[in-house]
RNA sequence: CGGGGCAUAGCUCAGCUUGGUAGAGCGUCUGGUUUGGGACCAGAAGGCCGCAGGUUCGAAUCCUGCUGCCCCGACCA
């Protein structure tokens, strides 16, 4: 009778997460390839929406797409000392090809700083070649010991921006610009509020001078690193000889950045909005905005309700939301009860469901129901279509407001270690003063927490460090994390 | 990679302790009746019981190895 039960969040959050993915038809474990996943059409459609929006933002900030090889010579990875140390444990290596052992193994890219560095060295000679602003949409592989769908898989899809600049100042500007792009995207498109901040030295990207992050709060109170932007300094420039002649005729190494977001965003999306009935999608990322369910008992009603559905669908498709045509689907399936169809689309997170049955035809109205609950509303058929974009926008805004309210309600300040531990036990975001002593990492590890970041918008709030009691100027964000 | 759990029909699972060659519910297909929050009746199809060995006259069941998934930990987007 009831297909596809979804475990309530309160009962088992991890199981709920998997149920939502399965019932929402987003993805499944690859099962014949360890740690990898198959992203199913509905899940991939969400990724395509993410890509489309981000790509537009990248282009708008002057970047151009390019593509570099999947395989990276092993020697490249080794050229930057910290980089190789950071990535060595998770490299997948190709040792044979064409039936022969290779002279030099290739690694399947875990990220592309090295191979891009190699080519940047060829492309850049003069300050006139700078800045060089490149982005790549690609798959990468990191051999993870523990995987979770979307959040951490052996292979994942992402974009990696790689830029080269003449000065460190320009480089830092770029790092912050792209962090802002990510932050704005997360909030306005994903409706997922984030804390922008700088990573501690021990959570820096391997090979970077500094790493900046956007951190989001999931419904279980854990933090998710949703995107990163790195100031690579001249580390890769030096390792790969990426040099340019300055205006003054001096030879200098370029300053580089890299920044990326991945399919992990979909995991964040799920854990920000979805509920015990399954997937909830913000309209801006929903592959289908409105599903129309015609209700009929016989051929005559079928013909009439479908005709009405077609008419409204056509009106809707002529409209736009968020610079894109509305995506509308009519569920024409026979032999399936309306109720069954409701569940079907609900689990897939479609923002609005429209019901058109004989009663509606009589009244020249339709029944509208928003995915996140509330009663059905009845809207005159004549103007329902033109109301939809506004309704979607309101829904989008409410999802963000709700997520923000949740995060704020679960964020606290702590001024003693006891309070910190107590708050972390309740899975809160905790803001505490810290004077910079690296010993904090180990101490937090004992309670499965980490410094997520040093928030960029932190106000001066001098006081004793929560760890050492030394004078600290600002608070950092501490939380459990994915 | 360590500890724990799991793997039987598309899905959820029973059968395993005490070996005898595979079941239920849901889903699917075919009719018919139905259809405003998971319909009903009748009939049917569907499984190398994760893979490979071993023990045995005989293995879903016992033993070993492997693979994959889930949870916890260590490591990480």
């Amino acid at each position: 009778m009831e297909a596809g039960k979804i475990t309530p969040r309160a009962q088992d959050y991890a199981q709920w997460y998997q149920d939502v993915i399965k019932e929402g038809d987003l993805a499944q474990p690859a099962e014949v390839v360890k740690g990898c996943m198959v992203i199913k059409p509905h899940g991939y459609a969400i990724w395509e929406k993410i890509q489309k929006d981000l790509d537009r933002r990248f282009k708008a900030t002057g970047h151009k797409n390019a593509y570099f090889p999947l395989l990276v010579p092993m020697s490249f990875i080794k050229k930057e000392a910290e980089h190789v140390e950071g990535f060595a444990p998770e490299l997948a290596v190709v040792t044979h090809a064409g039936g022969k052992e290779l002279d030099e193994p290739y690694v399947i890219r875990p990220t592309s700083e090295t191979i891009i560095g190699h080519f940047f060295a060829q492309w850049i000679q003069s300050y006139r070649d700078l800045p060089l602003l490149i982005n790549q949409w690609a798959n990468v592989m990191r051999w993870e010991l523990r995987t979770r769908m979307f959040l951490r898989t052996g292979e994942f899809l992402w974009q990696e921006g790689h830029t080269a600049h003449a000065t460190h100042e320009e480089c830092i500007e770029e790092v912050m610009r792209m962090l802002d792009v990510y932050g704005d995207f997360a909030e306005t498109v994903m409706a997922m509020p984030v804390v922008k901040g700088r990573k501690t030295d021990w959570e820096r990207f391997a090979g970077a001078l500094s790493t900046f992050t956007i951190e989001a709060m999931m419904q279980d109170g854990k933090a998710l690193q949703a995107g990163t932007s790195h100031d690579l300094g001249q580390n890769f420039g030096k390792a790969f000889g990426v040099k340019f002649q300055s205006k003054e005729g001096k030879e200098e190494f370029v300053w580089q950045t890299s920044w990326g977001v991945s399919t992990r965003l979909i995991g964040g999306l799920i854990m920000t909005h979805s509920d015990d009935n399954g997937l909830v999608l913000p309209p801006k990322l929903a592959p289908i905005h409105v599903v129309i369910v015609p209700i009929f008992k016989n051929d005559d009603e079928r013909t009439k309700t479908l005709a009405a559905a077609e008419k409204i669908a056509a009106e809707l498709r002529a409209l736009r939301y968020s610079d894109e045509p509305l995506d509308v689907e009519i569920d024409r399936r026979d032999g399936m009860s309306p109720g069954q169809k409701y569940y079907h689309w609900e689990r897939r997170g479609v923002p609005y469901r429209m019901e058109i049955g004989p009663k509606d035809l009589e009244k020249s109205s339709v029944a509208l129901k928003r995915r996140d609950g509330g009663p059905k509303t009845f809207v005159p058929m004549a103007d329902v279509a033109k109301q939809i974009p506004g309704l979607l926008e309101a829904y989008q805004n409410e999802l963000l407001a709700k997520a923000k309210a949740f995060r704020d309600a679960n964020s606290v300040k702590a001024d003693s270690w006891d309070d910190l531990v107590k708050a972390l036990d309740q899975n809160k975001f905790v803001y505490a003063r810290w004077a910079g002593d690296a010993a904090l990492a180990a101490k937090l590890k004992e309670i499965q927490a980490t410094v997520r970041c040093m928030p960029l918008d932190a106000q001066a709030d001098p006081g004793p460090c929560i760890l050492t009691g030394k004078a600290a100027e600002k608070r950092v964000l501490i939380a459990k994390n994915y």
Side-chain angles (χ1 to χ4, degrees):
Chain A
M1 173 124 353
E2 291 190 27
K5 277 261 174 67
I6 294 172
T7 306
R9 283 166 291 185
Q11 187 184 317
D12 183 343
Y13 196 81
Q15 187 60 48
W16 167 84
Y17 177 72
Q18 292 179 98
D19 289 348
V20 171
I21 290 170
K22 184 174 180 181
E23 294 303 319
D25 215 20
L26 301 178
Q28 64 176 87
E31 110 205 330
V32 286
V33 187
K34 187 180 172 63
C36 293
M37 70 192 296
V38 177
I39 303 176
K40 298 178 79 175
H42 193 229
Y44 199 81
I46 295 170
W47 179 239
E48 286 179 312
K49 289 236 162 187
I50 290 172
Q51 282 185 302
K52 193 164 189 178
D53 194 285
L54 281 174
D55 201 62
R56 196 156 47 191
R57 290 166 190 264
F58 299 156
K59 303 265 171 66
T61 42
H63 303 84
K64 288 192 165 42
N65 285 332
Y67 187 80
F68 297 84
L70 168 70
L71 300 178
V72 178
M74 180 62 98
S75 59
F76 280 25
I77 299 288
K78 293 180 173 167
K79 280 192 183 176
E80 211 287 332
E82 210 179 278
H83 193 67
V84 63
E85 194 188 328
F87 281 103
E90 42 192 84
L91 295 178
V93 183
V94 178
T95 57
H96 291 71
K100 288 195 298 189
E101 182 163 0
L102 297 167
D103 291 341
E104 183 191 346
Y106 293 116
V107 307
I108 300 174
R109 67 180 157 222
T111 178
S112 302
E113 276 73 11
T114 59
I115 194 155
I116 289 179
H118 173 84
F119 289 102
F120 273 16
Q122 294 181 12
W123 296 357
I124 297 166
Q125 279 94 43
S126 145
Y127 71 92
R128 296 179 199 277
D129 298 323
L130 298 174
L132 180 56
L133 308 173
I134 297 296
N135 177 64
Q136 163 168 265
W137 289 98
N139 56 341
V140 288
M141 174 160 275
R142 299 181 185 177
W143 208 254
E144 299 289 350
L145 299 174
R146 187 176 174 195
T147 57
R148 312 187 72 173
M149 301 253 272
F150 290 113
L151 298 175
R152 175 167 293 104
T153 47
E155 179 187 10
F156 57 95
L157 305 181
W158 78 346
Q159 72 42 232
E160 45 182 325
H162 294 271
T163 69
H165 308 264
T167 66
H168 198 197
E169 289 67 33
E170 282 179 39
C171 170
I172 291 170
E173 271 174 36
E174 168 77 1
V175 169
M176 301 319 292
R177 180 181 306 120
M178 300 323 288
L179 187 73
D180 286 343
V181 165
Y182 288 157
D184 189 64
F185 172 80
E187 301 218 350
T188 63
V189 179
M190 297 180 68
M192 180 176 79
V194 294
V195 177
K196 286 186 263 188
R198 191 176 155 191
K199 283 290 187 188
T200 57
D201 277 348
W202 60 87
E203 291 209 339
R204 237 183 327 117
F205 174 76
L209 290 185
S210 58
T211 287
F212 294 83
T213 179
I214 53 172
E215 298 282 330
M217 179 188 276
M218 303 295 100
Q219 290 166 345
D220 60 351
K222 288 189 189 170
L224 182 75
Q225 179 175 307
T228 49
S229 184
H230 315 289
D231 171 6
L232 301 177
Q234 293 176 306
N235 292 345
F236 288 90
K238 285 175 180 167
F240 287 89
V242 192
K243 291 178 283 192
F244 70 99
Q245 219 165 23
S246 69
K247 264 181 200 164
E248 294 74 31
K250 275 185 5 195
E251 190 172 70
E252 292 177 26
F253 289 109
V254 298
W255 297 82
Q256 286 174 270
T257 79
S258 68
W259 29 273
V261 295
S262 71
T263 35
R264 166 180 274 193
L265 288 176
I266 295 174
L269 196 63
I270 293 165
M271 288 196 289
T272 299
H273 303 298
S274 299
D275 61 23
D276 289 348
N277 298 318
L279 190 64
V280 170
L281 290 172
K284 287 185 183 176
L285 290 177
I288 298 171
H289 295 112
V290 180
V291 63
I292 304 179
V293 179
I295 294 159
F296 46 81
K297 291 192 178 70
N298 51 50
D299 278 351
D300 181 49
E301 287 177 358
R302 185 174 194 279
T303 306
K304 284 176 177 158
T305 54
L306 271 174
E310 290 288 4
K311 184 163 175 285
I312 293 177
E315 288 174 34
L316 285 169
R317 288 179 181 131
L319 296 171
R320 297 173 80 79
Y321 170 63
S322 190
D323 293 332
E324 296 287 335
L326 284 180
D327 288 301
V328 182
E329 174 125 353
I330 300 173
D331 190 340
R332 309 158 186 280
R333 288 175 291 183
D334 276 324
M336 198 172 176
S337 70
Q340 238 177 322
K341 292 181 180 180
Y342 302 164
Y343 280 99
H344 177 90
W345 296 108
E346 199 161 75
R347 283 178 307 200
R348 283 165 177 73
V350 177
Y352 270 97
R353 178 180 82 226
M354 188 183 295
E355 301 166 21
I356 304 179
K359 293 180 214 164
D360 302 298
L361 292 179
E362 266 173 42
K363 297 182 293 180
S364 285
S365 68
V366 301
L368 260 193
K369 173 112 165 121
R370 203 167 83 170
R371 169 59 185 81
D372 64 338
K376 283 183 198 175
T377 56
F378 295 89
V379 184
M381 222 172 249
D383 56 31
V384 64
K386 55 179 176 286
Q387 286 188 27
I388 293 289
L391 291 171
L392 290 173
E393 183 61 13
Y395 184 27
Q396 175 85 27
N397 293 336
E398 279 178 50
L399 285 175
L400 174 62
K402 191 177 162 197
K404 232 175 205 160
F406 176 82
R407 184 195 61 186
D408 293 346
N410 288 286
S411 297
V412 297
K413 288 180 184 175
D415 291 323
S416 72
W417 193 260
D418 278 355
D419 286 350
L420 176 75
V421 171
K422 204 178 295 171
L424 288 172
D425 275 346
Q426 297 163 6
N427 295 320
K428 307 268 189 198
F429 269 19
V430 188
Y431 291 87
R433 293 189 193 89
W434 176 53
D437 199 313
L440 183 62
K443 192 95 188 282
L444 285 175
K445 196 172 188 174
E446 291 170 17
I447 50 175
Q448 271 98 52
T450 57
V451 176
R452 298 314 300 154
C453 68
M454 300 174 269
L456 296 179
D457 63 0
Q459 305 294 307
D461 185 9
C465 169
I466 196 151
L467 179 74
T468 61
K470 292 180 203 162
E473 286 308 307
K474 291 178 177 177
R475 292 176 185 270
V476 298
L477 171 56
I478 296 170
K480 294 181 182 174
N481 71 291
Y482 276 98

